[in-house]
Amino acid sequence: MFSAAVDRLRKHGNYSTAAAIDQEPINPSVSINYTQLLIDGKFVPAVSGKTFPTLDPRTEDVIAHVAEGEAEDVNLAVAAARKAFDEGPWPRMTAYERSRIMLRFADLLEKHNDAIAELETWDNGKPYEQAAKIEIPMVVRLFRYYAGWADKIHGLTVPADGPHHVQTLHEPIGVAGQIIPWNFPLLMYAWKLGPALACGNTIILKTAEQTPLSAMFASKLLYEAGLPQGVLNVISGYGPTAGAALASHMDVDKLAFTGSTETGKIVLELAARSNLKPVTLELGGKSPFIVCEDADVDQAVELAHFALFFNQGQCCCAGSRTYVHESVYDEFVEKAKARALRRIVGDPFKNGIEQGPQIDTEQFEKILGYIRSGVESGATLETGGDRLGSKGYYVQPTVFSNVKDDMLIAKDEIFGPVQSILKFRDLDEVIKRANSTRYGLAAGVFTQNIDTANTLTRALRVGTVWINCFDVFDAAIPFGGYKMSGQGREKGIYGLNNYLQIKAVVTPIKKASWL
């Protein structure tokens, strides 16, 4: 059934990029200089001497062999971070001095923008233009934003019922463990490091095993900017070894994790079973994108396409359930199919490419498996449904119509370029269906009616609602989810709360002139 559906599409679809994908890929000019663990300010091999390969998703070839950190390496990194916090200058220098180091770091990131973007594209497969023109500038902006917060973190003077002076202190929480994902490696690096550094903490950061290169390069620049020894330690390695060791470490005071909901549960359990360290989780999503009956269909199609296909669909908040009002449904489906057929897929280093390869073979096969499931469950495969080319992890932009809520493609986080278009009749119905999910990360609403927008904004159980836009991220806008999409918020003033302890100090007042 599945192969027959794909064969029919091949007769009508025009995937002219397939031949180009099989051409010789562009060779990046950036050098791979940092492949070891960063512990106590120095690059060192893993204690075991082990390394693992990081692959080019365009070709499946090895880019470099990277040190494989394990529990013993995590112990060394935690010890370095603990010493830097308990004895080092970082939490003891003025907040203004910390902010100056962070600002110098932002300047260095800006100076090396193109090299970092090349590493990000080479290791991850995202379009170079996206990395160089959008993501790295966002990283720079975020560090400057939190550098500005560093000397504005303070407590309060609190009136009490009686002759006491009461104040609150906002103190750094201590040693922070941070685990970042592979879909936005350096952006997640910034979301984690920015607030933690501004508050005066020390850090052990574990990179995703698929994408370790850009974080190592950036961390070298952070030490060049004047970061004291041991404040940031970076471990490359696997989740069940290095990640588990960090999550369960008794001398880590705080944990932050971005990744799948399933792994997030494990991280939370390990943290609880060790020293009950607080945990911030930014997890999976299955975000609804709701196209109302008054929508401009052409604009809605373009925005819904962006909401789903951005970053190869490998985005936790992707608008992966496209709900379209029945009055415009057929028109929307035809135009969504045509837009997917026009999507330019190929070597992400080439100008004009919209979509590169998926991250690795596991994700590639997972996506193709969900596409087979969609066909087998009765959804209509409008376009796509197969790999592109004969090498690398390229997947055709895929569109399904006639999708039902109980199908796996409508329930599970696919994390790939697969758009599922569902039909709805009225607002009450779509609100109920949109909320009938274990996730609650984000939602998109496309309408010209302010009353409709307000109704949906308040009814949807999600952390972010985008009205007539999508994926608008800013350093000041908090991000996080309801339900099994996580706990806590990152970015903005709310991100600082994750890395602070609040202490109350009470002092008696003798012969007070006033209270």
Side-chain angles (χ1 to χ4, degrees):
M1 181 180 177
F2 171 73
S3 59
V6 173
D7 287 341
R8 285 196 300 273
L9 284 170
R10 285 191 179 120
K11 295 177 182 178
H12 303 288
N14 179 23
Y15 289 102
S16 58
T17 52
I21 286 171
D22 286 333
Q23 293 175 0
E24 194 65 26
I26 292 174
N27 290 320
S29 59
V30 65
S31 299
I32 308 296
N33 296 322
Y34 309 110
T35 59
Q36 294 183 312
L37 311 177
L38 180 58
I39 298 177
D40 205 21
K42 298 179 284 293
F43 284 103
V44 296
V47 172
S48 67
K50 291 181 183 178
T51 63
F52 65 93
T54 183
L55 303 181
D56 183 343
R58 303 174 302 162
T59 62
E60 307 173 48
D61 295 333
V62 175
I63 300 172
H65 287 87
V66 179
E68 182 182 338
E70 295 179 319
E72 196 167 355
D73 304 287
V74 170
N75 289 339
L76 293 173
V78 172
R82 174 56 62 193
K83 182 177 180 181
F85 185 77
D86 289 348
E87 304 174 19
W90 183 247
R92 293 161 186 80
M93 68 174 58
T94 66
Y96 176 61
E97 280 301 309
R98 286 201 300 272
S99 74
R100 291 182 65 190
I101 290 172
M102 294 177 70
L103 289 171
R104 286 197 294 269
F105 177 46
D107 291 343
L108 288 171
L109 288 171
E110 197 167 53
K111 177 180 177 181
H112 294 276
N113 180 95
D114 293 353
I116 298 170
E118 281 196 33
L119 285 175
E120 202 81 330
T121 294
W122 197 2
D123 216 11
N124 172 275
K126 66 178 69 228
Y128 173 76
E129 290 177 325
Q130 174 185 321
K133 297 179 181 179
I134 300 174
E135 292 185 19
I136 307 308
M138 287 175 69
V139 169
V140 172
R141 176 69 181 96
L142 190 133
F143 277 109
R144 287 177 176 155
Y145 173 85
Y146 278 113
W149 265 114
D151 60 357
K152 299 168 188 67
I153 299 168
H154 56 78
L156 301 171
T157 301
V158 182
D161 292 338
H164 292 89
H165 173 78
V166 182
Q167 66 182 104
T168 60
L169 302 178
H170 289 190
E171 301 180 348
I173 201 166
V175 174
Q178 303 177 329
I179 302 173
I180 60 174
W182 47 258
N183 57 335
F184 294 97
L186 207 65
L187 203 54
M188 296 301 100
Y189 171 97
W191 285 22
K192 298 288 186 289
L193 259 65
L197 291 174
C199 294
N201 298 284
T202 60
I203 299 161
I204 307 95
L205 180 134
K206 194 199 87 69
T207 58
E209 59 267 26
Q210 298 90 340
T211 53
L213 298 179
S214 59
M216 293 298 185
F217 187 103
S219 298
K220 178 65 164 60
L221 297 180
L222 183 48
Y223 274 101
E224 285 183 23
L227 191 74
Q229 182 177 337
V231 172
L232 172 62
N233 305 270
V234 182
I235 301 291
S236 50
Y238 294 99
T241 50
L246 185 58
S248 60
H249 205 288
M250 293 295 293
D251 209 19
V252 171
D253 301 309
K254 157 73 187 174
L255 196 64
F257 170 82
T258 296
S260 72
T261 296
E262 289 68 27
T263 305
K265 290 180 181 180
I266 297 170
V267 167
L268 190 60
E269 182 178 0
L270 291 171
R273 287 187 172 183
S274 52
N275 59 345
L276 208 62
K277 60 181 74 65
V279 182
T280 304
L281 299 172
E282 197 268 280
L283 307 176
K286 193 68 179 176
S287 300
F289 184 98
I290 301 171
V291 180
C292 299
E293 59 184 318
D294 63 349
D296 180 307
V297 174
D298 290 334
Q299 292 179 6
V301 165
E302 187 61 36
L303 189 60
H305 180 88
F306 169 74
L308 185 281
F309 290 99
F310 176 67
N311 204 51
Q312 293 72 251
Q314 297 171 153
C315 189
C316 56
C317 57
S320 52
R321 290 183 293 153
T322 307
Y323 286 99
V324 181
H325 191 271
E326 61 183 7
S327 65
V328 294
Y329 185 84
D330 291 341
E331 180 185 1
F332 184 97
V333 168
E334 283 302 310
K335 291 182 175 180
K337 172 184 175 180
R339 178 62 181 92
L341 282 165
R342 293 195 305 272
R343 188 167 182 80
I344 304 170
V345 186
D347 185 339
F349 280 105
K350 292 183 178 179
N351 292 333
I353 292 296
E354 295 179 279
Q355 179 178 318
Q358 309 307 132
I359 184 66
D360 61 14
T361 186
E362 180 181 353
Q363 188 63 21
F364 176 78
E365 294 296 342
K366 174 186 171 185
I367 294 165
L368 294 180
Y370 274 113
I371 292 171
R372 289 191 293 271
S373 170
V375 172
E376 291 164 1
S377 61
T380 302
L381 182 59
E382 296 286 347
T383 186
D386 206 352
R387 74 175 300 157
L388 267 176
S390 59
K391 63 180 178 180
Y393 307 120
Y394 294 93
V395 175
Q396 292 174 350
T398 298
V399 176
F400 279 104
S401 64
N402 298 315
V403 179
K404 307 301 180 186
D405 291 329
D406 60 352
M407 295 177 180
L408 287 181
I409 59 172
K411 295 194 301 182
D412 291 358
E413 185 178 37
I414 300 174
F415 230 58
V418 182
Q419 185 176 33
S420 297
I421 308 178
L422 305 93
K423 185 186 296 185
F424 76 93
R425 181 173 298 172
D426 57 48
L427 282 187
D428 288 341
E429 174 199 326
V430 78
I431 289 168
K432 182 177 180 180
R433 292 169 64 192
N435 285 334
S436 295
T437 173
R438 60 182 179 144
Y439 296 114
L441 192 54
V445 173
F446 205 88
T447 181
Q448 299 178 52
N449 187 313
I450 188 63
D451 294 328
T452 300
N454 284 334
T455 296
L456 288 168
T457 296
R458 284 158 176 75
L460 295 169
R461 301 283 297 163
V462 297
T464 300
V465 180
W466 286 292
I467 306 294
N468 297 329
C469 59
F470 207 86
D471 279 349
V472 176
F473 292 102
D474 185 277
I477 300 175
F479 187 78
Y482 287 28
K483 299 186 279 189
M484 294 181 74
S485 285
Q487 53 190 39
R489 294 295 182 268
E490 296 189 303
K491 299 193 295 131
I493 188 174
Y494 301 93
L496 296 168
N497 297 335
N498 300 323
Y499 296 97
L500 292 170
Q501 286 281 21
I502 298 175
K503 178 183 290 182
V505 180
V506 183
T507 308
I509 301 176
K510 305 296 183 183
K511 299 180 180 179
S513 298
W514 56 270
L515 290 177

